[in-house]
Amino acid sequence: TMGSGAKYSPYIIRTGKGMVSHLKVTYEDGDVYDGQWSEDGKGMVSHLKVTYEDGDVYDGQWSEDGKRNGVGKLVFANKTSYIGDFKDGFFDGNGVLTQADGAKYEGDFQVGKYHGYGIYSACNGMKYEGQFQDGRVCGYGLVTFSDGTHGRPRNEGRFEDNKCVERCKTTDTVRKSRQSASNAKAISQQLLT
């Protein structure tokens, strides 16, 4: 519902199956909604670009109950960005999170956190390819330092709380992590083109 002082500019597009309205609304608090709405007003269809008062911008798909859902791009005011899958408003599925300092995570997310297989690349060139759980390095993986080495002893095996607690080969885990990162990059490239 538009509050007093909201400025809007609607127009209607007739399609073969009915009408879709395009609506741009600027609210008093500074939020701007720009996208397509269904003719019955029950929800948004296609995608919607939202600029929030704090400077964050989301451009992507939405659920009928107004949550980010599907594929989208969220750029925070501090220049951190996420491109990928959303579910119920959270990063969920494959995605690429790029921090303002250049650090990057490419891979699986669950309820807004790194979870599953992925690759974390720190801004100093260090890289971890492996498993994550609840936003932390946890499971099997491989650390590669900026000079291309893996450390002595080799930082490959089972990790808990960012520490290698058991040394072993992780070839299959690294392969799955690279595949997940590749899937996330593909989604990202589709949205950027």
Side-chain angles (χ1 to χ4, degrees), residues 151-170:
R152 290 184 192 242
R154 186 177 173 92
N155 286 290
E156 180 176 25
R158 187 170 60 84
F159 287 78
E160 289 179 12
D161 296 320
N162 298 326
K163 294 179 185 175
C164 188
V165 296
E166 174 189 343
R167 301 204 188 282
C168 61
K169 289 289 187 186
T170 60

Side-chain angles (χ1 to χ4, degrees), residues 81-98:
S81 67
Y82 172 80
I83 302 174
D85 296 322
F86 286 83
K87 182 178 177 187
D88 295 327
F90 293 101
F91 309 159
D92 202 298
N94 285 117
V96 176
L97 179 68
T98 305

Side-chain angles (χ1 to χ4, degrees), residues 50-64:
V50 178
T51 302
Y52 299 96
E53 180 182 15
D54 62 5
D56 296 350
V57 178
Y58 175 73
D59 189 358
Q61 297 173 327
W62 293 78
S63 66
E64 286 189 8

Side-chain angles (χ1 to χ4, degrees), residues 105 116-122 125-132 137-160 162-178:
Y105 174 79
Y117 294 96
I119 298 175
Y120 177 82
S121 302
M126 187 276 304
K127 176 171 61 173
Y128 172 79
E129 301 169 281
Q131 295 175 308
F132 294 81
V137 170
C138 189
Y140 293 91
L142 171 67
V143 173
T144 304
F145 295 100
S146 60
D147 64 1
T149 65
H150 304 288
R152 290 184 192 242
R154 186 177 173 92
N155 286 290
E156 180 176 25
R158 187 170 60 84
F159 287 78
E160 289 179 12
N162 298 326
K163 294 179 185 175
C164 188
V165 296
E166 174 189 343
R167 301 204 188 282
C168 61
K169 289 289 187 186
T170 60
T171 307
D172 190 51
T173 298
V174 169
R175 182 188 56 75
K176 289 177 181 177
S177 299
R178 289 176 181 170

